[in-house]
């Protein structure tokens, strides 16, 4: 497969686009990002890397990190996790609150904000140094000790993350949060503020395309866990646009309001895109279009 040629074609088509969506402006530090950035990286089953555009530039991964906290929590507590968070798509925006009230503080799934806050609570309870251990977990999978948090973005979100405070207090009121809200949200805002490039993202998320083993072939997750995490990405990774992403792209994946998307085809490839402009559902506009082109041009998708 001529992945490099295909990425170059997608890059050339994408950079010409005028309609790029809008940067996330509810987190002040993300509102500054240049709308014209565009990068892609793909790693194939042999571990060969292909890139185009701004693939080496780091950005705020935001909700893409929810898959990694879920993975670490799964490793630590196994299926007990499912007592506290569900695995059904919510059909609602990522920061929606009313379902949480209706369903008594048990979030629909771990990839909406409320679900990721419960997962963060599990990690805060389980780990002595949650932020450090989480970072090491990613650095080890990616074989890249340079990956770190952007503390400025974390602080920026702490000041304006009112809906996340609302969700956390609601969850706490139903008894589904063990630790205090500030401690849990400090961890949550840091996980969202991870800075990674498309290249670093594919080096990390390759583990989900490679049945739980990283590029160096070390095991991080067992087969059953990878199968389940990929299923959650497919059904819940794009919030109330998960159906559209499956329909247009046909891969499990996860987006973030920093404009990144990671997607993968088991046993074949892992791909990441970055274009900061978001569509009204909070997913990268050009990123989604680029991935639709990728699965159409390669004729490779899970369907
Ligand atoms: N940090 C963001 C928030 O909590 C993450 C949202 C996202 O990337 N969809 O609102």
């Amino acid at each position: 497969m001529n992945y490099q040629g295909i990425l170059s074609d997608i890059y050339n088509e994408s950079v010409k686009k005028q309609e790029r969506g809008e940067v996330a402006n509810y987190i002040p530090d993300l509102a500054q990002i240049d709308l014209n950035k565009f990068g892609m990286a793909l790693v194939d089953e042999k571990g060969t890397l292909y890139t185009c555009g701004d693939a080496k530039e780091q950005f705020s991964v935001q909700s893409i990190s929810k898959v990694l906290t879920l993975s670490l929590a799964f490793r630590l507590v196994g299926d007990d996790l499912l007592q506290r968070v569900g695995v059904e798509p919510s059909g609602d925006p990522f920061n929606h609150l009313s379902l949480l009230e209706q369903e008594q503080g048990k979030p629909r799934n771990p990839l909406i904000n409320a679900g990721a806050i419960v997962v963060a609570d599990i990690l805060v309870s389980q780990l002595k140094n949650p932020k450090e251990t989480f970072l090491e977990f990613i650095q080890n999978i990616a074989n890249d000790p340079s990956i770190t948090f952007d503390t400025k973005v974390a602080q920026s979100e702490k000041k304006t993350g009112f809906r996340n405070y609302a969700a956390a207090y609601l969850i706490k009121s139903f008894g589904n949060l063990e630790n205090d809200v500030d401690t849990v949200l400090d961890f949550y805002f840091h996980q969202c503020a991870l800075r990674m490039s498309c290249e670093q993202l594919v080096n990390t998320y390759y583990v989900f395309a490679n049945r739980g083993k990283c590029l160096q072939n070390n095991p991080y997750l067992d087969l059953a866990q990878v199968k389940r995490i990929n299923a959650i990405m497919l059904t819940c990774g794009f919030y109330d646009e998960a159906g559209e992403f499956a329909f247009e792209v046909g891969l499990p994946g996860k987006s973030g309001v920093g404009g990144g998307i990671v997607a993968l085809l088991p046993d074949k490839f892992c791909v990441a895109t970055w274009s900061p402009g978001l569509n009204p559902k909070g997913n990268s506009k050009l990123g989604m279009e680029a991935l639709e082109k990728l699965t159409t041009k390669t004729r490779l998708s899970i369907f």
Side-chain angles (χ1 to χ4, degrees):
M1 181 69 66
N2 179 12
Y3 286 123
Q4 191 57 56
I6 292 171
L7 289 197
S8 301
D9 287 350
I10 296 173
Y11 175 81
N12 291 331
E13 291 165 31
S14 302
V15 290
K16 283 191 212 120
K17 293 268 167 97
Q18 302 290 326
E19 293 279 305
R20 290 177 162 256
E22 283 179 33
V23 294
N25 52 17
Y26 75 100
I27 301 174
D29 260 62
L30 296 186
Q32 321 297 328
I33 313 291
D34 179 359
L35 201 54
N36 293 311
K37 296 286 180 187
F38 183 91
M40 264 180 110
L42 183 148
V43 62
D44 70 8
E45 74 267 33
K46 297 196 198 84
T48 310
L49 182 72
Y50 306 88
T51 63
C52 66
D54 302 309
K56 281 189 190 309
E57 191 168 329
Q58 291 187 320
F59 56 93
S60 194
V61 309
Q62 293 295 317
S63 287
I64 298 175
S65 66
K66 289 172 181 166
V67 179
L68 297 172
T69 50
L70 171 65
S71 302
L72 183 55
F74 239 150
R75 262 169 65 116
L76 291 167
V77 302
D79 284 0
D80 285 354
L81 188 124
L82 306 173
Q83 309 283 324
R84 300 193 44 199
V85 56
V87 292
E88 292 296 335
S90 70
D92 278 329
F94 59 84
N95 56 7
H96 210 66
L97 296 169
S98 59
L99 258 187
L100 204 52
E101 169 83 339
Q102 272 170 42
E103 297 181 355
Q104 276 129 50
K106 182 175 178 182
R108 269 288 168 98
N109 69 67
L111 301 185
I112 50 173
N113 288 9
I117 289 169
V118 169
V119 172
D121 183 55
I122 292 172
L123 294 181
V124 169
S125 292
Q126 291 286 322
L127 300 169
K128 215 150 114 217
N129 299 305
K131 283 190 269 192
E132 291 75 4
T133 304
F134 176 58
L135 210 49
E136 278 165 23
F137 176 63
I138 302 165
Q139 291 170 341
N140 289 339
I141 296 177
N143 194 26
D144 184 344
S146 75
I147 296 171
T148 191
F149 303 121
D150 184 333
T151 46
K152 215 167 141 260
V153 171
Q155 295 311 325
S156 175
E157 191 170 1
K158 208 175 259 188
K159 289 198 195 107
T160 55
F162 309 117
R163 298 188 69 87
N164 290 320
Y165 282 96
Y169 279 111
L170 201 50
I171 296 166
K172 182 105 185 151
S173 77
F174 284 108
N176 195 15
L177 208 71
E178 290 173 355
N179 301 282
D180 67 75
V181 166
D182 285 322
T183 310
V184 176
L185 287 185
D186 179 66
F187 178 85
Y188 173 77
F189 293 139
H190 277 82
Q191 74 166 80
C192 288
L194 259 180
R195 272 184 84 73
M196 289 168 84
S197 64
C198 288
E199 249 188 62
Q200 289 172 319
L201 281 171
V202 293
N203 287 340
T204 310
Y205 285 72
Y206 177 81
V207 78
F208 301 103
N210 192 37
R211 312 274 168 182
K213 291 187 178 161
C214 72
L215 274 164
Q216 285 69 37
N217 231 23
N218 304 319
Y220 282 90
L221 292 161
D222 68 38
L223 216 57
Q225 288 171 335
V226 171
K227 184 182 84 175
R228 290 169 144 199
I229 293 168
N230 285 345
I232 297 173
M233 280 197 255
L234 182 76
T235 53
C236 311
F238 298 82
Y239 324 112
D240 45 342
E241 210 169 27
E244 178 80 8
F245 192 81
F247 184 77
E248 295 290 348
V249 180
L251 299 173
K254 184 73 204 87
S255 62
V257 292
I261 299 180
V262 173
L264 60 105
L265 182 60
D267 300 326
K268 275 285 177 202
F269 64 73
C270 177
V271 60
T273 60
W274 177 45
S275 170
L278 308 179
N279 67 19
K281 306 258 166 140
N283 298 314
S284 170
K285 185 173 187 317
L286 292 193
M288 280 188 65
E289 290 171 15
L291 292 171
E292 184 280 320
K293 289 188 182 116
L294 178 75
T295 53
T296 302
K297 286 177 196 278
T298 57
R299 299 169 143 261
L300 291 174
S301 88
I302 63 165
F303 303 110

